[in-house]
């Protein structure tokens, strides 16, 4: 897989549950999104974390087991003939995850971790680097360069909001054209940019009512792709339910976004 995949439609979509909860749910979510994206000619990558390493509390759900979750991601890809993406957190995870998925994602907090970026690059997979909440868009040039200097030109860069005070994020849409200047596709992480982290309860909050607003603005600004976490029942999701899009609302949103892109 290379970057040509991401240029075949009005924009591309990375979407799925925050974390792999079980096989049945992963397949059900993927089946519905595949049907929607095929209808609207949107290149689609199924997203699911095989393990959540960055949680607020030690008793938070982290996953069903690494190999079990990775095999589910592999099954989703083979069942529907679509690429898949998952997060990695340490350098030694890159080779393992690369056996099962097509895109390796670098979490925002880890975007400066040189060993992690180099390990991901050396797998030959597409590497999606999320911009740190603490970084300017211009600084992401150096994260991308770590991948390309390792012999891998297949880089995606993702905007996911910037820290605004202690418990909120704000989206600076200038980041999208700024990062596009580096020559790589730029993704807007719609749902994570609406998180309200570091809440006193130890559970991350969110503003899902603004998902459509952020997505529309990103497409209008010219984002190449969107990242959206979605779930049939966000209130009962095991991770990040506070800022996920109900799966039943996805097609309505995408249809509006396609029309915006066509108008441009």
């Amino acid at each position: 897989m290379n970057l040509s995949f991401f240029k075949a439609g009005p924009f591309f979509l990375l979407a799925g549950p925050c974390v792999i909860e079980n096989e049945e749910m992963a397949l059900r979510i993927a089946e519905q999104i595949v049907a929607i994206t095929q209808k609207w000619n949107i290149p689609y990558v199924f997203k699911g974390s095989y393990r959540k390493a960055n949680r607020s509390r030690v008793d938070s759900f982290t996953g069903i087991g690494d190999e079990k979750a990775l095999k589910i991601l592999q099954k989703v890809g083979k069942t529907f003939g679509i690429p898949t993406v998952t997060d990695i957190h340490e350098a030694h995870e890159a080779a393992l995850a690369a056996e099962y998925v097509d895109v390796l994602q670098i979490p925002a907090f880890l975007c400066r971790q040189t060993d992690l970026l180099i390990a991901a690059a050396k797998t030959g997979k597409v590497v999606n680097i999320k911009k740190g909440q603490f970084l300017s868009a211009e600084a992401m040039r150096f994260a991308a360069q770590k991948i390309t200097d390792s012999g891998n030109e297949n880089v995606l860069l993702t905007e996911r909001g910037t820290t605004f005070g202690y418990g909120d994020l704000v989206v600076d849409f200038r980041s999208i054209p700024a990062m596009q200047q580096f020559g790589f596709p730029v993704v807007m992480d719609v749902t994570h940019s609406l998180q309200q982290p570091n809440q006193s309860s130890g559970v991350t909050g969110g503003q899902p009512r603004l998902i459509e607003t952020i997505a529309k603005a990103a497409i209008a600004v010219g984002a190449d792709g969107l990242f959206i976490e979605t779930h049939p029942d966000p209130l009962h999701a095991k991770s990040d339910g506070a800022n996920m899009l109900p799966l039943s609302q996805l097609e309505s949103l995408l249809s509006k976004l396609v029309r915006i892109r066509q108008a441009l």
Side-chain angles (χ1 to χ4, degrees), residues 1 5-6 13 15 43-47 73 76-78 80-85 100-103:
M1 183 182 186
F5 171 86
F6 301 98
L13 177 68
Y44 171 51
V45 181
F46 176 85
K47 183 270 168 182
L73 282 162
V76 168
K78 289 182 175 179
F80 300 105
I82 56 173
T84 55
V85 56
Y100 298 91
V101 302
D102 305 280
V103 182

Side-chain angles (χ1 to χ4, degrees), residues 9-40:
F11 53 84
F12 61 88
L13 177 68
L14 285 67
C18 177
V19 64
I20 298 297
E21 298 179 10
N22 58 65
E23 180 178 305
E24 185 275 333
M25 178 174 289
L27 290 169
R28 179 156 55 97
I29 292 173
E31 181 178 28
Q32 292 185 51
I33 301 179
V34 165
I36 295 168
T37 52
Q38 287 181 344
K39 177 179 176 180
W40 293 96

Side-chain angles (χ1 to χ4, degrees), residues 2 20 31 37 39-40 55 75 78 82 85 103 107 109 122 138 164 185 199 214 221 230 246:
N2 56 43
I20 298 297
E31 181 178 28
T37 52
K39 177 179 176 180
W40 293 96
R55 303 307 308 275
K75 183 171 182 177
K78 289 182 175 179
I82 56 173
V85 56
V103 182
F109 283 126
K122 288 184 175 179
E138 290 74 18
F164 186 71
Q199 300 297 301
I214 296 295
V221 168
T230 184

